[in-house]
Every structure is written in structure tokens, then in C-alpha cells.
Amino acid sequence: MSKSLSHPVKRFFLFLALLVVACQDAPTTGPDVSSPQFDISEARFDDGNPDFFFSSPLAAAPSPADPEFDEGASNGALVPYVRICETDGAESTAGCTLDVTGDVTGSASGLEMSYDRVTELYQVNFGTGQLLVDREYRIEVWGVAFTTDTQREALLDVVFADDHPLLAGRPRWLFGWRDIDNAPSTASCDGTEEFCLVNYGQTIPVKVRIEDFVFCPVSRNCAVQFVAAGEDANLEAILDESEAASSVQLFVPGQDGTDFAIAFEPCSPQEKAAAQGFSALPTFGPCLKTVTPPSPTPITLSDPATISYCLEVDEDAIAAELAGGHDQLELVGVHHFSTAGSEDGSIVNVEAWPEVSPSCDEPTSGGLPSTQSPSAFIALAQAAGRRFLSLFAPEPLMALDLGGGGEGFKLDSFFMLALPTKFEYEFPGDGLQRGVAGNDFTLRAKATDLDGNPVWGARVDWSAIDSPGGDATVSTSPVPTGIDGISEVLVQLSATGGDNVFHATGLGIADDREVGCTVLGGVAGAAACNGPRGTFDPFHPDGSALPDGVQVIPEGTRLPFVVFGCAPGSGTPTAVDGTLEPGEWDCALTTTFPVNLSGGSAVDATLYWMNDDTHFHLAVSVPGSERRNGLRIDWDNGGDAPAGTLAGDSYPAAREAGDDVWEFEPGVGAADKFIDERCSDSSQAGCGTDDTEVFGGMDTEAAFDNTKGGVTVYEMSHPLSTDDVCGDRQVRRGCGDLLDKDIDLSVAAPDMVGFFLTLRLGSGAQGNTQWPAFLEYLKVTIQ
């Protein structure tokens, strides 16, 4: 059915026109006015483009009296084309049932319209002699030329987004249309008719008015024009007040081979979200995009085009989103999010673009003219130590994408400010850690800029790559870095002991490998993952690398973490030095026990114990840093616990000749002793003979420190088994019945043994603690 006028005055004109038509003789060859139906799409109709008008003779001439008319806003920098279709009058692009442009005009690409600066109208003469009198036709006006149905379908896929409610889903390069039918006369139409009657056989002028914002008639923030060979083009996109600048310019210098149409505008909210969601780099400010139609041949720029932030740039707004504030601004650069080659128009890679000199001048089409001189931007850039700029490299140009082939008509190409970012460990050695098998474990990856300063807002993905039991897990939700540059995640180690491998990744975040990176698209390369590179290096945006080219951000970069999952009680300390380093005793079994201090006071100490394949390790941590007098460990080598005693329980047992003893006294050092026959029945806590007195070895390693953090720490380590035996009858104490018998612990997994400790923390008996008690042993299982 025919369109309704978008304003009451238009409906009044329609009523008058219908009265006139009713009084005229019916056309002898035309159809009945009630069937078939016809359509018109332009500014004066509800769903027509508000910046496009037909003029006489196909409609009433546009004038300032039309509500959608913008004085001084005629866009004369386009090259529109008229195309002809057979039509059934449907109220959409589907009303073009058969494109007959080549047959009826002699040009498969349509009739090129020219601009009259006096009338502010585009015009081309259309000879209608090839039209068939028993058919109805649609006159379409396109912003570009094309020749094939495939190209037409591709252009119809470029539609207004949902944030343009008036035109949502309508094609953007098809500005409007008018349905016609045959009549013996050629009286001008006023736009209110159901269809326009044309005398098939005569030449009629097709005239249209196209205003600046034909590509964004609702948001009024874009620029569109035809870039003619040899002529400069400077398009200006108008930004929202919430953005970091008021406008951005796209300058294409005049050169050969640049006859193409282009639009430059802010991204839709959905497109901006897609750009921000594609790369893990933190992004800032507005998202800009270019939209171009397909070209029969690839377009090449010999002189690169530039994007320039030419008016006031809100440095404070951007600096507020940077961990390094204003000092980090100079490292922010424009990044290109390309859709070239994508079947569905989605982003397929991201590139860092080098800086060039700004090009800021009066726009040549669309948008609002710049009100500040270019020097205002240059002064700002110098003050900030950088420029917000981008470069379109001299490469085949399809939608200003890198890429091409037949996919260049996937039109959108996005640009955003981003901060080049790389991975590093928070602390040396974080790549190799240990934790308890089956338990939760915290990993922290750090994102930094070129100078090693933290990057805030980088989006880090975590994944479990490998684990002994295949059951290690980590959340798949990205974890952004905080103002300290840290992304922290809780992983669960495999319940099976062994190495668990996790990766921190982020598309666009580099790593420190020297070789092995690939660029997006899977092209293998030997370049380091964070430079330097032979072309533009995103980590040297000041131009210290070669400035002529773009850097495709590598994919497959990662920060690897290997966490050895140990069974509880199975592990190795980093060093026996009296210091409890972070994570060092995470694999140990622990318990607390009360200890006596000089003067009768008491505190709770913590005992740690674990073993690896060769050694048993203990540590004791006591609050306070006053002088400490020593630690002794008495073993029940035979593991004489009553039946049913579990690991971690205590049990009584008698001393036996040959039981192992380990000692440490600050200022004296470590000792390795055994219970000889004389003291097997003694109640003296310090009884025993040094292994070295019977030609044994001193195998106890121990250390003490009370200078760090207000705690006193003992660490001790001894082999699970040695070859030491009592070997000399003639020594002072003598071996007696222990001759040639073991005098050291001799155990292996899964043996069970027991020990008690004596902690001397002051002078006299009040400073001594024996735990669990004298000759009361803590049962432990060798892992």
C-alpha cells in the first residue's frame, strides 16, 4: 500500500491530490488506481530517510517548509546513481522484483547523477523509451555504483542499526525510491500520489536533494562523501559529549585511483562493545568506524589516510582510566579492529597503528565544521608527549580494511584508542609453584606497559591446560587487571599429585617469548611476542621502530604457570634458612601447640612437617623474637604405636637404643645423635650420643631466624634413610649391642613412625616445652 505522509500538512496535500485525480479522466493504458499498489520512500514519508528528498517532476520540490528540510545542509560531495527495477509496490526493498537497470538505461552500473550547487539538487536525465507500458517500475537512488546482483545483496546487508529506530534494518546505501506507472501525459507529481504517472517514451529528469547526514539522519554525527581521484577528502565524525573529544577527522589525501564512496562515523553501542570485547587490551574514548561499498577492483592508497583527534581532547578523562595516569598517556595509541574476510562482518583481528603527523582542516563533507585551528591539537599533543593518531597503510583498500579478496564488502572497520600491554610474572619464580593436590590455589598474572608499569583494565582469560588427573579447573570468565596490573584467579589443582599447567591469556597482550608467535589468521612467524619487530612495534609507538606499516597483534600469547600438586605432607622447602617463604610450606601438614616462655608465659607455636623422596622436613614458628635456646626432635624409629593409632594421633612409647635424634642450637649449630644403650632408660631430655663419635655422619641440616616479622622460626631437614651404623667398640660411649646397627632413621613410604619435640625458649625448666609430651610421640606417615 502507499506510504503515509509523516506530518498532518502532508496528509492534507494527499487529500487534495486525491480529489484532483478523481476529477481527471482515467488513463487509457494505466492500471486502476486501487491495484496494484505503489510505494515512495523519502524524507516526507514516515519511514523514509529524513535527509533524502525527491524533487519535481517525480515529487514536489523540497523546500524549507518541509519539516525534515535542513537549510545549508545539502551534501554536494557524493556521486549518486539511479537504478531501475520492475516493482510490485511492496513497502520495502523487496518491492524491487527485477533489476533492469542495464536493459533500460544502457549502463549496468546505473545513471550517474551530477550536483547543481545553485539548486542544491542532484540530477540525471532518464530516457524511458525502453520501459514496457504494461509494467510498473521503481526508480531507486543509490549512494554508489554496482553491477551485479551479488553486489546489490551485499549493499542491502549494510543496514541502519537498532539505535536508529526510524530506519532500523533499512539499507544505508539505498537512499530512497519512487514507484512509477505509464500515462499518456507527463504532468509533474507532487509526492502525495499512490504512484507517479510517467509517459513511457519520454526523457524525464530525476532530481533529488541529499543532505549531510543521509548516512546517520537520526544521530546526526557522521560524514559521507565520494573520494574523487586527485582530490583531498576530509570527513568529520561528531562525538557525544561523554567522549574524550568532540570530533575526529578522517583525511584522505588526493591521489590517483581513489574513486570510491566512504562514510566515517562513531560506532553503534553494539559495535563499540564488539571492539572492546574482541581484544583484551584496555580501550579508551570513542569507537570510530569506516563504511565503504564494494569496489570492482581493490583500491590502493599510495598516500596513507589519517585519523586525527583535531579538537579538544580530554586528557584527564583518559588518564583517569590509566594506572599510570598522565604519565602513561604517551603509550596509548589507535588500534584497528578489522572485519576483512569475515563471513558475518565480525571482527577477525586487531592491529596497532603507528603515529603520523595530524591532518586537521575544514571538513569537505558532512558534519559540523571544525571551530578550532589545527594548532590547538598540536599544542595539546606536544604537552601530552604524544598524538592520538592512526594510519591507513598504503595497501589494497577494501572498506579501509587490511584484507580484500572478494570479502572487502564486509564493510565495518573499527578504531579505538588502546594501551599496548604485555604479560609478566608478579614475582620471579611464579611460573613454578606448588600447592596441595585437590585444593584451591591462587594464581596472579601481571599486565604491564612497555616500561613495566602496571596496566589497569586488561582482560585476562585463564585456562587449565594440563593436569595429572585431568580434573584441574579454573573459571572461564575473564578477570580484568586491577590498578596494580594484577589479574587474580582461584584454580583447583588436580586431586592427583603432579604438575598442573595453567595459562593466562589475552588477545593482544604480548608475552616474553623470543620466537613462536603467530599473528591473527594463523600466519606463523619467528618474531618475539613483545618485540622488537621489523615493522611497527606497538610497544614503541613513539616511532622508534619502523613507522611505515601496521603491526598485527600476535595470537597465542600466554603467561604459563606450572603448579606442582603435592599430597598433604609431601613437599620440599625452598631452602633450610629459618625463613618461611610464601608457599614454601604449603604442602606440609600442620598443627599448633602451646609453648612455655621464660617467666611462665605461653603462646601457640605452629609445627610444619612433610617429606619428599629423600628427606623429612620440619619447621616450627613461634610468635616473638626474644632469644631462643634450641630445638630437639626425638624419633621412635620403630613406630611402636598401638594398633589403631592414626596419623596425627599421639601415643606413648619407650626409648630404644638406636632411636634417631636431631638437634639445633642457635650459635652452636645442628647435631645428629642417637639414643645409646646408656640413655635408653634415662629420663633426661638431652640424652644421646653424637653420630660422629661412632664414625657416623652429621646429616642434620637446620637453621634459625628471629629477625623477620616478629616471629622465631626453626627449619630442619634430615634424610629419610642413611647408611650410618654404630661401628666402633672402643669409643668413649661404646656401641654395645648396637654394633653394626642403624643409628639413623631408616624409613620410606608408606612407613609410619613417631616423634616428639623439645623446644627450649628460655632459661630453666619454665622455658622448656615437650610436645605432645616426653616419650609421647606424634604419629606420622611417610608420603
Side-chain angles (χ1 to χ4, degrees), residues 187-251:
S188 294
C189 303
D190 64 12
T192 63
E193 309 91 336
E194 287 187 292
F195 54 91
C196 188
L197 298 179
V198 172
N199 188 330
Y200 293 178
Q202 295 192 3
T203 297
I204 62 170
V206 178
K207 299 179 183 180
V208 296
R209 174 183 173 85
I210 303 175
E211 295 183 342
D212 283 335
F213 298 112
V214 69
F215 232 67
C216 57
V218 177
S219 53
R220 305 303 235 210
N221 58 3
C222 67
V224 58
Q225 78 169 84
F226 184 83
V227 181
E231 296 184 15
D232 291 346
N234 192 47
L235 296 87
E236 184 169 45
I238 309 304
L239 303 180
D240 186 82
E241 293 179 355
S242 63
E243 300 290 5
S246 57
S247 71
V248 179
Q249 290 188 2
L250 166 63
F251 176 73

Side-chain angles (χ1 to χ4, degrees), residues 278-551:
F278 180 77
S279 170
L281 302 176
T283 55
F284 312 96
C287 173
L288 284 305
K289 71 175 180 181
T290 55
V291 184
T292 61
S295 174
T297 58
I299 301 166
T300 300
L301 291 182
S302 56
D303 295 324
T306 61
I307 287 179
S308 302
Y309 289 64
C310 296
L311 300 183
E312 180 181 358
V313 178
D314 189 346
E315 287 186 277
D316 293 338
I318 297 176
E321 300 181 57
L322 295 167
H326 286 263
D327 293 338
Q328 211 167 32
L329 267 176
E330 64 182 29
L331 300 178
V332 174
V334 174
H335 285 59
H336 176 217
F337 299 82
S338 173
T339 63
S342 166
E343 290 296 328
D344 60 1
S346 60
I347 300 170
V348 294
N349 67 16
V350 58
E351 303 140 346
W353 296 73
E355 294 180 357
V356 294
S357 298
S359 179
C360 302
D361 208 340
E362 287 294 312
T364 54
S365 73
L368 304 176
S370 299
T371 57
Q372 289 183 260
S373 66
S375 62
F377 172 80
I378 296 173
L380 173 64
Q382 291 172 342
R386 63 166 314 282
R387 306 184 189 104
F388 296 150
L389 299 173
S390 182
L391 168 74
F392 295 114
E395 300 193 22
L397 175 65
M398 281 290 194
L400 295 185
D401 272 344
L402 301 181
E407 301 295 333
F409 54 78
K410 299 300 181 184
L411 304 177
D412 292 327
S413 183
F414 310 124
F415 300 85
M416 288 198 72
L417 295 171
L419 178 60
T421 302
K422 54 186 172 65
F423 276 126
E424 63 182 47
Y425 293 113
E426 183 182 16
F427 300 106
D430 277 1
L432 296 174
Q433 302 185 60
R434 74 186 71 195
V436 178
N439 281 15
D440 290 341
F441 193 86
T442 299
L443 294 176
R444 288 162 63 90
K446 189 170 186 179
T448 66
D449 62 20
L450 168 67
D451 299 324
N453 298 314
V455 171
W456 182 12
R459 195 178 66 255
V460 178
D461 290 292
W462 292 88
S463 55
I465 303 300
D466 191 25
S467 67
D471 52 346
T473 61
V474 61
S475 172
T476 57
S477 299
V479 182
T481 56
I483 197 168
D484 57 358
I486 299 297
S487 171
E488 180 177 296
V489 69
L490 194 67
V491 305
Q492 186 175 56
L493 305 182
S494 171
T496 304
D499 286 340
N500 299 262
V501 182
F502 301 92
H503 282 181
T505 60
L507 182 61
I509 304 179
D511 65 42
D512 63 358
R513 283 176 295 165
E514 294 298 323
V515 296
C517 286
T518 60
V519 298
L520 286 169
V523 181
C529 297
N530 62 359
R533 300 178 173 89
T535 57
F536 173 67
D537 190 336
F539 291 98
H540 294 82
D542 57 357
S544 59
L546 296 178
D548 54 343
V550 300
Q551 175 57 45

Side-chain angles (χ1 to χ4, degrees), residues 93 142 155-160 169-175 177:
T93 57
W142 290 77
L155 287 168
L156 290 175
D157 286 341
V158 185
V159 299
F160 286 100
R170 290 281 300 275
R172 294 226 264 172
W173 288 107
L174 175 54
F175 295 151
W177 59 81

Side-chain angles (χ1 to χ4, degrees), residues 99-123:
D99 190 317
V100 294
T101 300
D103 294 336
V104 303
T105 69
S107 172
S109 60
L111 301 175
E112 181 178 324
M113 307 184 81
S114 59
Y115 184 69
D116 186 321
R117 296 192 177 277
V118 176
T119 64
E120 296 186 343
L121 296 175
Y122 288 92
Q123 176 177 333

